Amino acid sequence: MKITIENAMSNHTFYRNFIPFHLLKMIEESKEEFTILGARCKDDYAGIVVAKKYKEASVMKIIYLSVSEWNRNTGLEEMFFYLLEDIASSEKIHQIHFEYSGDRNEYFYYIDGLLRKNNWSSLKPKSFNYLLFRNAISRDLKYNRHFNSNQELIFFEWGLFPSDQRFEIIQGYEKWYPKTHDSFLDTEMIEKSSLGVKFNGEVIGWFLIERFDSQTLLVKSISIKEEYRSAQNSRQLLIIGLMQCLKLPGWQNLILNMDDENKQLQLFLERVLRRSIQNKTIMYISMKKVL
């Protein structure tokens, strides 16, 4: 059967039913930042891939890839990779990333094999995504209120932080906070009640919260400057950030994303809030330079 691969935006009515709702919302707000390819066999859906472009960083990120059951392991995914590389090259984008969320199952090894065959890096853990329930978080924190806090850390609400000073932090991209946090500081979707943290008047980190849907909060970014990233400070930021989340009304679930290199905080979360964690998934990443 002949498969047609096309710009999904040119057949939006057909493909929008196969794109997760939260991505649709992002795409509608900034269409020019996305490349979306769809595949079909006549009027039957075959697959879709969504990539977001970060022109300033010269990076394209494949943030969603899905193919129909009857197209798995047929090479359609490989065709998507080829075409996105060509598009990235034509738009002078120098690096392309692929993010995979799930278990190390048969399909994981199939995708990893396709990537390595085409000179991508092998899939490696990038971050851990936790799903926590509000009531369980509240209960666990009641039992862990007493912790050694650093009294020199000053916490403030993100909405009260002057925009001109926030711009200075954005300029610190790749200087004192990692690439994985590059797109989080300037989005209007960040809750004003998110937290920033200062030391001696200098902003050294943040705990940024975003509404994922009516029942779910997303902890968009937890970051602290490396020289202040002690176990004590990191735990304090996490606990006070979670307490801030509990002040917000109308949610029952919390999605929390934690970088793979933050081993100390992972262990602390899984020990102290183990009863709150309902699900844990691993986000893997593969990268390739585009010529």
Side-chain angles (χ1 to χ4, degrees):
M1 292 183 292
K2 182 181 178 181
I3 298 291
T4 299
I5 299 179
E6 58 192 350
N7 179 355
M9 299 301 287
S10 66
N11 198 352
H12 185 61
T13 304
F14 176 79
Y15 287 109
R16 67 173 288 114
N17 297 320
F18 304 101
I19 301 175
F21 178 76
H22 71 283
L23 290 182
L24 276 176
K25 187 175 180 182
M26 290 169 57
I27 293 164
E28 288 169 0
E29 290 176 349
S30 52
K31 293 179 182 178
E32 70 284 352
E33 295 179 2
F34 291 87
T35 294
I36 309 167
L37 301 178
R40 59 184 172 84
C41 179
K42 294 184 179 179
D43 292 327
D44 292 327
Y45 166 78
I48 197 162
V49 62
V50 179
K52 186 173 183 182
K53 295 170 286 190
Y54 299 85
K55 289 292 184 70
E56 289 187 6
S58 195
V59 171
M60 174 187 282
K61 292 183 181 180
I62 302 172
I63 58 176
Y64 184 72
L65 171 66
S66 177
V67 299
S68 63
E69 195 64 36
W70 54 274
N71 269 293
R72 283 199 162 201
N73 302 353
T74 64
L76 178 56
E77 298 95 340
E78 190 170 18
M79 288 302 301
F80 279 146
F81 293 146
Y82 281 151
L83 292 170
L84 286 174
E85 283 184 51
D86 287 343
I87 292 169
S89 179
S90 68
E91 297 188 17
K92 310 299 182 185
I93 292 174
H94 297 141
Q95 197 169 83
I96 185 166
H97 298 178
F98 171 64
E99 296 179 345
Y100 177 96
S101 180
D103 299 324
R104 284 178 170 264
N105 53 24
E106 183 179 347
Y107 189 63
F108 171 92
Y109 290 106
Y110 167 72
I111 292 292
D112 187 48
L114 285 183
L115 292 165
R116 288 187 288 110
K117 171 187 170 185
N118 291 285
N119 299 315
W120 291 64
S121 64
S122 60
L123 285 167
K124 294 180 179 179
K126 172 191 174 186
S127 62
F128 292 82
N129 298 311
Y130 297 91
L131 175 66
L132 301 92
F133 284 175
R134 180 185 188 124
N135 290 341
I137 295 171
S138 179
R139 180 194 61 212
D140 282 351
L141 287 182
K142 283 180 181 178
Y143 294 117
N144 293 279
R145 279 182 174 173
H146 303 291
F147 60 94
N148 293 325
S149 61
N150 182 351
Q151 299 298 321
E152 294 183 280
L153 298 185
I154 305 298
F155 291 85
F156 63 91
E157 289 200 354
W158 199 250
L160 301 177
F161 189 43
S163 57
D164 57 335
Q165 294 182 37
R166 195 179 310 172
F167 181 75
E168 291 177 13
I169 298 177
I170 294 172
Q171 299 307 301
Y173 164 60
E174 287 192 307
K175 296 176 183 176
W176 69 266
Y177 63 88
K179 291 182 180 180
T180 48
H181 299 269
D182 68 334
S183 61
F184 298 156
L185 298 173
D186 56 352
T187 172
E188 294 180 358
M189 297 174 68
I190 297 298
E191 287 281 335
K192 289 182 171 57
S193 53
S194 295
L195 292 179
V197 57
K198 292 182 178 181
F199 181 85
N200 285 340
E202 175 191 3
V203 176
I204 62 166
W206 53 77
F207 186 100
L208 302 183
I209 310 163
E210 185 178 296
R211 290 278 178 178
F212 187 76
D213 58 37
S214 61
Q215 292 293 309
T216 309
L217 283 186
L218 171 65
V219 178
K220 190 72 172 175
S221 174
I222 306 175
S223 185
I224 194 166
K225 274 191 175 183
E226 187 173 1
E227 58 264 40
Y228 300 100
R229 203 177 298 156
S230 65
Q232 180 190 36
N233 290 349
S234 297
R235 291 171 184 174
Q236 188 172 345
L237 177 59
L238 175 65
I239 289 177
I240 293 179
L242 290 174
M243 288 178 174
Q244 186 75 357
C245 288
L246 291 173
K247 295 178 182 179
L248 298 176
W251 63 274
Q252 297 302 320
N253 308 308
L254 180 75
I255 298 173
L256 190 150
N257 179 284
M258 198 170 291
D259 293 340
D260 179 57
E261 64 265 21
N262 206 338
K263 301 293 185 185
Q264 282 187 328
L265 210 52
Q266 286 177 37
L267 291 172
F268 178 75
L269 176 71
E270 294 183 14
R271 178 173 59 84
V272 173
L273 290 114
R274 60 187 181 279
R275 291 180 295 268
S276 304
I277 300 170
Q278 304 303 312
N279 189 39
K280 171 186 172 183
T281 58
I282 304 174
M283 176 72 76
Y284 297 88
I285 188 169
S286 173
M287 296 179 285
K288 182 178 182 179
K289 289 184 178 180
V290 179
L291 302 177

